[in-house]
Amino acid sequence: MFDVAHCADVASLSLLFLARSARIFLTMLDPLLDKRLIFVTGKGGVGKSTVTAALGKALAARGKRTLVLETDTFSAMEDLYGYEGTGLEPVKLSETLYASNLMAEDCFVATLTRFVPGERVARAVINNRVARVFFKAAPSVNEVTILDQIRVFYEAEDQGKPRYDHIVVDLPASGHAVTFLNVPATMNGMMRGIGPIAKMTAQVSTIINDPKQTAIAAVCLPEEMPVNETIELASNLKSVLGRPLTLAIANMVHRAPLHDDDRPIFDALLARVRANAPGTSSLLFDEEPTDESDALARLVEGNALALGWHDRDQRYLGELRSRVDAPVIELPIFYETSGDDVVANVARQLGGDSSSLDHPLAI
Amino acid sequence: MTASPRSDANAAPLRHLLDSGRLIVCVGPGGVGKTTTSAAVGLRAAMAGRKTIVMTIDPARRLANSLGLDDLTNDPQQIDLSDALNLTGNEDHGGELWAMMLDSEKTFNDLVDRLAPDKGALKRAKENNIFRLLSSALHGMQEYMALEKLHDLYTGGYFDLVILDTPPTKNALEFLETPGRASTFFDERIIKWFLPNRKSGLLGRVFNPGSIVLGLISKVLGESFVNDLVEFFDTFHYLQETLQQRGELIEFILRDPLTHFFIITSADPRRIKEAVYFHEKLGQLEQQADFFIINRVIPRFHPEDIAAIEDTDLDALLREADHEASADRISGLRQRLETHYLQLARLAIRDREAIASLATKVGHEALRLIPLLGEDVHNLTHLLKLSDFITPLAPDARVATAKG
């Protein structure tokens, strides 16, 4: 009989991972190690926040002071890192890991305070109902003030050294990412380059558009639409911002249930099972309790389905690799329920060696 | 709870909504196949005889793919239903399926063209720096323009049912809150601060009661920007009233008893959490979700199946497939298959636990399950299969493909 405990020993495997990551490998993180600012985007629902959290954790684990930022959102990091946010000031999560969710309202106050003479005047504007409503409703004010706050963290120094080695930003979904990153340039154009805010927007867009210090990473799933969107994103970055995509991260890739060599054996098995028990594949979609005598047929059909998912994933990844001029890395699906476990696992995948992809917990 | 169309007490109420509703708003987290599911809902309504349009404001082009179109545009395109009717052996009940994707820029330009009082105003508008950038680049326009388009489709009189696919998460909430926001932006009191005072020109404006604020804004944003802004508000004065009326009308439409909300999610615990968030948010907006459609549920694999399988039986079957294979290779393959199946079974259980937790909050009767199928949805046949899980056509006319 199959030993259930055999594959469920998460704790010992975690130790194995720790042992592995202590050694020096060529890691998936390599394209990001020399980037101080890392923007992470991706189509909604691809695990963008989880991967961002894992990136932050993996960079921090290398001893780099890392700040993970969210941009005025229903915070995923609080859940993933298990912390509670307190305004703009980053919360220290470990010796090297910090996080903050940049709420637009706070950023607006902070930006305004930097640009009008004296806090008293800033308060006067902020407390003016008309000005408040105007800024709240005016498009792109949120984006500019959030990006300005990111610039402040980026330029922050302690004793002549940058306060943060890496700043990882969980950006809005890729459909909005280019618009978001282009807001400073747009705003600058609107102001015709005149005035202190225009100067600030010019600085911000210079930082964003420099591929040497700033990375833009796209998380996607090995599926048709996310892959298409990543291809589109890479081309929009080129045409709108004039800079390349740094890295594509394919998340939740289905692992093959068997070795390629064994496919003919499996195919023959499948054919035989289907001949003996024709209705099984549709039974899988039935919620009602099923007959024990179908167990073997279900096992085979289940694996056939999984093999199909794997093959489909690889087709889309092939498409992605051929059409995006950036390295593509793969992260497997993990089945742990808690967000914390998934982040830890993905962080180890990112920071560890690629052989850990064969990890039995990954599907 | 059932993923299968077989035993189906909840299908009838959902079908009733498709038969009688005028607007179905689909909200939910990203990456759960929301757009495709919206299209499947639309397909089912159209096959039941309703003139249906599916509007997506998600920038992704998924809908076009799943409907077999190359591209969706700002103008509604009709989908050929004859294949779907043939495949299902259904009669043509005179329904139609249309689809479109919102193009904010084009909608905005159309709106300005339509509402501009004269050609001069139109020309001034199009030369205004802020207008030019606003119409093409800026955040937030998408939501305003979606409402504009929704208004057209809803009041146009042609369509019986509008299905509105919303952007994921935060944006969707903005979308629901936009009616208020749009009218705030064009709030008359605010505009007065910026509008030219007839008696005194530019100076009058700067030294009018809003001068301190205006002066500060000039200082921060730059003089030329403020001038453009003043001109923008001046030129767009005529838009204000219309947009405000639209906003009020849309709020009215959203509160109509024939407007329904579907929350579309997957069974991933994090997505379920987001679905609950939407549910609560709708509650705050004095709305409620009529149905929760849970997409991509892992099929019902049973971990106890592994115990029920005799390893020797499976080994023997594998050996029949390849007589040459070594015993090690056979048992290695068997173990891999068992390991993988067990992992799938755990995922299946995790999904069902998450669904059960949702059911305790919203009730079993509000749930519909769609399993994760073996192939992608990129044609009408696949879409039919999906829509069959949402609500079967009729007891005697099941979709033939769903049996495969």
Side-chain angles (χ1 to χ4, degrees):
Chain A
M1 281 302 114
F2 185 81
D3 181 8
V4 174
H6 191 84
C7 86
D9 198 349
V10 179
S12 68
L13 280 159
S14 302
L15 284 173
L16 180 73
F17 267 121
L18 283 176
R20 272 182 177 170
S21 49
R23 288 165 55 194
I24 294 161
F25 289 101
L26 253 186
T27 73
M28 295 191 198
L29 286 178
D30 283 5
L32 303 177
L33 291 179
D34 61 343
K35 306 292 186 282
R36 283 207 51 223
L37 186 55
I38 301 166
F39 288 106
V40 185
T41 182
K43 190 170 158 57
V46 300
K48 175 174 63 76
S49 298
T50 307
V51 172
T52 305
L55 267 177
K57 202 160 186 158
L59 289 167
R62 302 174 67 98
K64 301 290 180 190
R65 282 180 312 276
T66 305
L67 171 62
V68 177
L69 296 174
E70 291 177 278
T71 55
D72 190 27
T73 175
F74 179 59
S75 174
M77 290 312 144
E78 294 190 8
D79 193 28
L80 292 166
Y81 283 154
Y83 83 103
E84 215 163 297
T86 51
L88 285 185
E89 199 47 46
V91 174
K92 186 171 181 174
L93 305 174
S94 75
E95 267 319 298
T96 48
L97 185 61
Y98 300 78
S100 172
N101 184 8
L102 303 180
M103 298 310 288
E105 181 122 1
D106 298 340
C107 292
F108 175 65
V109 173
T111 299
L112 202 65
T113 311
R114 280 192 290 278
F115 284 93
V116 301
E119 200 178 328
R120 212 166 55 86
V121 184
R123 292 261 157 243
V125 175
I126 290 153
N127 293 333
N128 182 297
R129 200 189 62 84
V130 177
R132 258 185 109 80
V133 173
F134 168 74
F135 281 113
K136 207 171 172 185
S140 83
V141 168
N142 287 358
E143 289 78 3
V144 167
T145 56
I146 287 170
L147 285 165
D148 186 43
Q149 187 61 44
I150 295 174
R151 177 189 62 86
V152 168
F153 288 134
Y154 183 81
E155 289 170 354
E157 292 190 345
D158 291 321
Q159 285 129 29
K161 285 198 330 210
R163 186 176 303 159
Y164 303 105
D165 297 313
H166 298 288
I167 298 176
V168 187
V169 184
D170 189 357
L171 272 190
S174 50
H176 295 295
V178 175
T179 310
F180 187 95
L181 293 175
N182 196 42
V183 160
T186 308
M187 197 82 165
N188 193 274
M190 274 166 73
M191 296 168 186
R192 302 192 175 108
I194 301 162
I197 295 261
K199 272 199 201 92
M200 174 272 278
T201 55
Q203 284 167 353
V204 172
S205 71
T206 305
I207 297 172
I208 291 171
N209 295 343
D210 179 0
K212 283 206 191 70
Q213 46 183 342
T214 303
I216 299 179
V219 183
C220 72
L221 296 180
E223 292 175 15
E224 183 178 355
M225 293 319 299
V227 161
N228 284 348
E229 203 164 304
T230 307
I231 294 166
E232 209 174 307
L233 172 77
S235 112
N236 287 344
L237 283 175
K238 262 259 147 59
S239 64
V240 178
L241 300 182
R243 57 151 297 153
L245 181 72
T246 313
L247 178 69
I249 304 169
N251 192 25
M252 301 202 265
V253 178
H254 289 97
R255 211 171 53 100
L258 44 85
H259 296 317
D260 265 352
D261 301 349
D262 287 337
R263 275 182 192 248
I265 305 183
F266 181 75
D267 289 344
L269 174 69
L270 181 64
R272 173 173 286 269
V273 164
R274 285 201 173 151
N276 292 344
T280 316
S281 65
S282 67
L283 280 182
L284 290 176
F285 300 131
D286 213 327
E287 290 297 310
E288 307 310 319
T290 34
D291 196 337
E292 200 175 86
S293 64
D294 295 330
L296 197 143
R298 275 196 298 271
L299 172 115
V300 175
E301 289 288 0
N303 275 288
L305 207 53
L307 197 58
W309 294 335
H310 167 77
D311 289 347
R312 185 181 55 186
D313 287 1
Q314 291 305 318
R315 272 201 306 281
Y316 289 126
L317 288 180
E319 173 85 2
L320 183 64
R321 287 199 171 90
S322 71
R323 295 189 51 196
V324 167
D325 190 17
V328 176
I329 60 175
E330 289 180 36
L331 294 169
I333 288 189
F334 293 99
Y335 72 81
E336 285 84 346
T337 358
S338 102
D340 199 37
D341 288 348
V342 176
V343 171
N345 272 318
V346 176
R348 281 184 216 110
Q349 289 281 335
L350 286 166
D353 66 319
S354 56
S355 67
S356 58
L357 278 175
D358 293 332
H359 184 260
L361 288 179
I363 292 178
Chain B
M1 175 169 51
T2 172
S4 133
R6 270 162 272 254
S7 57
D8 230 332
N10 305 342
L14 198 147
R15 195 158 48 228
H16 175 71
L17 295 191
L18 296 189
D19 288 343
S20 63
R22 284 212 56 205
L23 172 65
I24 292 175
V25 183
C26 298
V27 291
V32 300
K34 184 156 54 66
T35 305
T36 309
T37 308
S38 307
V41 171
L43 176 61
R44 188 43 38 102
M47 288 176 73
R50 305 203 75 205
K51 289 194 173 65
T52 309
I53 180 155
V54 181
M55 176 169 101
T56 175
I57 55 179
D58 190 327
R61 292 185 169 72
R62 181 169 208 135
L63 190 57
N65 296 173
S66 57
L67 294 170
L69 298 174
D70 292 334
D71 226 340
L72 282 177
T73 63
N74 202 41
D75 299 313
Q77 279 177 278
Q78 191 172 2
I79 314 299
D80 183 6
L81 284 181
S82 54
D83 285 350
L85 294 169
N86 285 338
L87 279 166
T88 54
N90 242 54
E91 273 176 52
D92 186 347
H93 295 290
E96 290 173 11
L97 182 61
W98 295 70
M100 61 162 293
M101 185 176 80
L102 181 79
D103 178 339
S104 302
E105 186 177 352
K106 191 164 183 307
T107 306
F108 189 44
N109 284 328
D110 288 351
L111 179 74
V112 171
D113 280 356
R114 228 182 321 159
L115 296 180
D118 56 72
K119 288 267 187 284
L122 192 61
K123 195 162 169 290
R124 276 207 311 284
K126 296 201 164 160
E127 279 166 5
N128 184 284
N129 214 9
I130 291 179
F131 169 81
R132 291 218 309 266
L133 293 158
L134 195 65
S135 66
S136 64
L138 295 176
H139 249 79
M141 288 313 288
Q142 205 179 38
E143 282 77 20
Y144 298 130
M145 291 309 117
L147 293 184
E148 173 61 23
K149 206 75 201 177
L150 173 62
H151 172 269
D152 282 1
L153 296 173
Y154 192 88
T155 57
Y158 187 82
F159 296 107
D160 305 326
L161 174 64
V162 180
I163 293 177
L164 184 64
D165 170 39
T166 62
T169 323
K170 182 98 197 217
N171 300 22
L173 305 177
E174 262 176 36
F175 173 84
L176 290 174
E177 286 161 343
T178 293
R181 199 180 171 212
S183 40
T184 313
F185 187 60
F186 289 94
D187 188 308
E188 203 184 347
R189 278 161 306 184
I190 309 275
I191 291 201
K192 275 189 185 146
W193 289 83
F194 293 97
L195 278 180
N197 181 327
R198 279 205 189 91
K199 284 184 209 151
S200 46
L202 184 78
L203 278 180
R205 241 178 290 147
V206 178
F207 294 107
N208 76 7
S211 63
I212 298 169
V213 172
L214 198 60
L216 267 170
I217 292 173
S218 300
K219 197 162 192 134
V220 175
L221 299 177
E223 189 96 24
S224 82
F225 177 69
V226 171
N227 288 342
D228 270 347
L229 206 57
V230 170
E231 191 194 66
F232 175 78
F233 277 111
D234 184 17
T235 314
F236 282 83
H237 189 45
Y238 60 86
L239 268 183
Q240 177 222 344
E241 207 174 313
T242 314
L243 280 184
Q244 203 153 351
Q245 283 169 1
R246 294 283 155 90
E248 281 157 19
L249 188 59
I250 295 282
E251 283 197 71
F252 187 73
I253 291 171
L254 291 176
R255 290 181 193 290
D256 191 292
L258 293 178
T259 294
H260 306 291
F261 290 87
F262 287 4
I263 292 179
I264 301 174
T265 179
S266 75
D268 181 295
R270 297 248 336 264
R271 302 285 166 254
I272 293 276
K273 215 183 243 181
E274 287 181 66
V276 170
Y277 175 71
F278 276 111
H279 170 64
E280 286 163 359
K281 188 80 194 178
L282 278 175
Q284 287 164 18
L285 296 166
E286 292 163 40
Q287 302 284 359
Q288 66 154 28
D290 295 89
F291 280 97
F292 292 75
I293 300 177
I294 304 159
N295 201 14
R296 301 187 181 173
V297 179
I298 301 284
R300 186 82 171 94
F301 300 113
H302 308 268
E304 56 279 12
D305 280 349
I306 297 296
I309 294 169
E310 287 298 335
D311 288 351
T312 46
D313 290 356
L314 184 49
D315 281 358
L317 273 173
L318 287 167
R319 191 171 304 285
E320 275 178 48
D322 186 348
H323 296 286
E324 310 287 301
S326 71
D328 278 357
R329 188 174 169 199
I330 292 291
S331 69
L333 175 56
R334 189 236 313 141
Q335 270 177 24
R336 271 189 284 279
L337 294 177
E338 289 180 339
T339 309
H340 211 90
Y341 183 79
L342 201 60
Q343 288 168 0
L344 289 177
R346 290 215 181 113
L347 271 181
I349 288 170
R350 184 202 66 176
D351 276 8
R352 276 151 194 80
E353 283 169 357
I355 293 166
S357 79
L358 179 63
T360 59
K361 293 194 178 74
V362 304
H364 280 287
E365 62 286 350
L367 305 185
R368 304 293 300 156
L369 269 61
I370 304 176
L372 177 62
L373 302 170
E375 68 284 282
D376 274 355
V377 176
H378 49 66
N379 64 33
L380 207 54
T381 312
H382 295 150
L383 208 55
L384 279 169
K385 210 168 177 174
L386 275 198
S387 55
D388 208 40
F389 283 101
I390 296 168
T391 164
L393 266 177
D396 54 335
R398 291 263 331 276
V399 180
T401 52
K403 287 174 183 157

